[in-house]
């Protein structure tokens, strides 16, 4: 990594301290049957990864945008984007916390629970992870 990358990561970690929130991670995995993942089974706790508390920046649902046309009502055009909730975090030097798709996290500030989606990007912007709300 370059000197810039190191300084950028340090700056993002300071931003996480100021703007971030605490989350509890409950690592989950797919159970194995005869050496293969059971695609129909519910995820079970993953004994290979510890449950940890980590700090990340939370972003809630954004607004829905509609295309604007001349003499067209908003309901006649399709939605352009609807951003869902996600977190941004800066992994530490050792790469922690180790997040995986379908892990469960709890937002400590509100008690909301989420299932992790597929991480979107890892790099200078940190790790962007979409969240799927758990309603039951």
């Amino acid at each position: 990594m370059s000197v810039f990358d190191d300084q950028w990561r340090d700056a993002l970690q300071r931003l996480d301290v100021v703007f971030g929130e605490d989350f509890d991670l409950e690592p989950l995995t797919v159970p194995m049957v005869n050496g293969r993942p059971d695609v129909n089974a519910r995820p079970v706790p993953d004994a290979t990864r510890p449950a940890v508390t980590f700090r990340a920046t939370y972003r809630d649902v954004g607004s829905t945008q509609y295309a604007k046309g001349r003499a067209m009502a908003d309901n006649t055009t399709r939605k352009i984007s609807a951003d869902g909730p996600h977190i941004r975090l800066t992994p530490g030097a050792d790469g922690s916390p180790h997040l995986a798709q379908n892990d469960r996290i709890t937002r400590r500030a509100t008690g909301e629970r989420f299932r992790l989606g597929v991480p979107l990007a890892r790099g200078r912007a940190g790790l962007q992870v979409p969240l799927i709300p758990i309603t039951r």
Side-chain angles (χ1 to χ4, degrees):
M1 293 182 86
S2 70
V3 174
F4 176 81
D5 288 331
D6 292 338
Q7 290 181 353
W8 185 252
R9 186 185 68 237
D10 292 343
L12 287 177
Q13 287 174 344
R14 286 192 299 274
L15 283 172
D16 286 345
V17 168
V18 174
F19 295 108
E21 300 180 35
D22 289 331
F23 292 87
D24 293 324
L25 170 67
E26 182 184 347
L28 299 175
T29 187
V30 177
M32 303 293 275
V33 175
N34 297 329
R36 295 183 179 174
D38 186 353
V39 296
N40 295 321
R42 290 180 182 257
V44 296
D46 187 353
T48 63
R49 296 183 293 143
V52 295
T53 297
F54 65 96
R55 194 158 183 87
T57 305
Y58 176 79
R59 182 169 171 208
D60 207 347
V61 179
S63 62
T64 302
Q65 303 294 320
Y66 290 92
K68 299 293 182 191
R70 287 184 288 194
M72 294 179 74
D74 284 346
N75 62 357
T76 61
T77 60
R78 293 180 182 227
K79 295 178 184 177
I80 294 175
S81 65
D83 194 16
H86 70 271
I87 57 172
R88 188 204 57 78
L89 68 130
T90 309
D94 63 348
S96 64
H98 301 286
L99 304 177
Q101 184 179 0
N102 291 325
D103 281 352
R104 225 180 337 227
I105 64 169
T106 303
R107 185 178 177 197
R108 282 195 164 182
T110 61
E112 292 174 281
R113 295 176 52 195
F114 300 95
R115 188 168 47 94
L116 297 181
V118 178
L120 299 176
R122 181 186 288 270
R124 287 189 175 150
L127 182 65
Q128 307 282 336
V129 184
L131 303 174
I132 300 139
I134 297 174
T135 56
R136 53 183 171 107

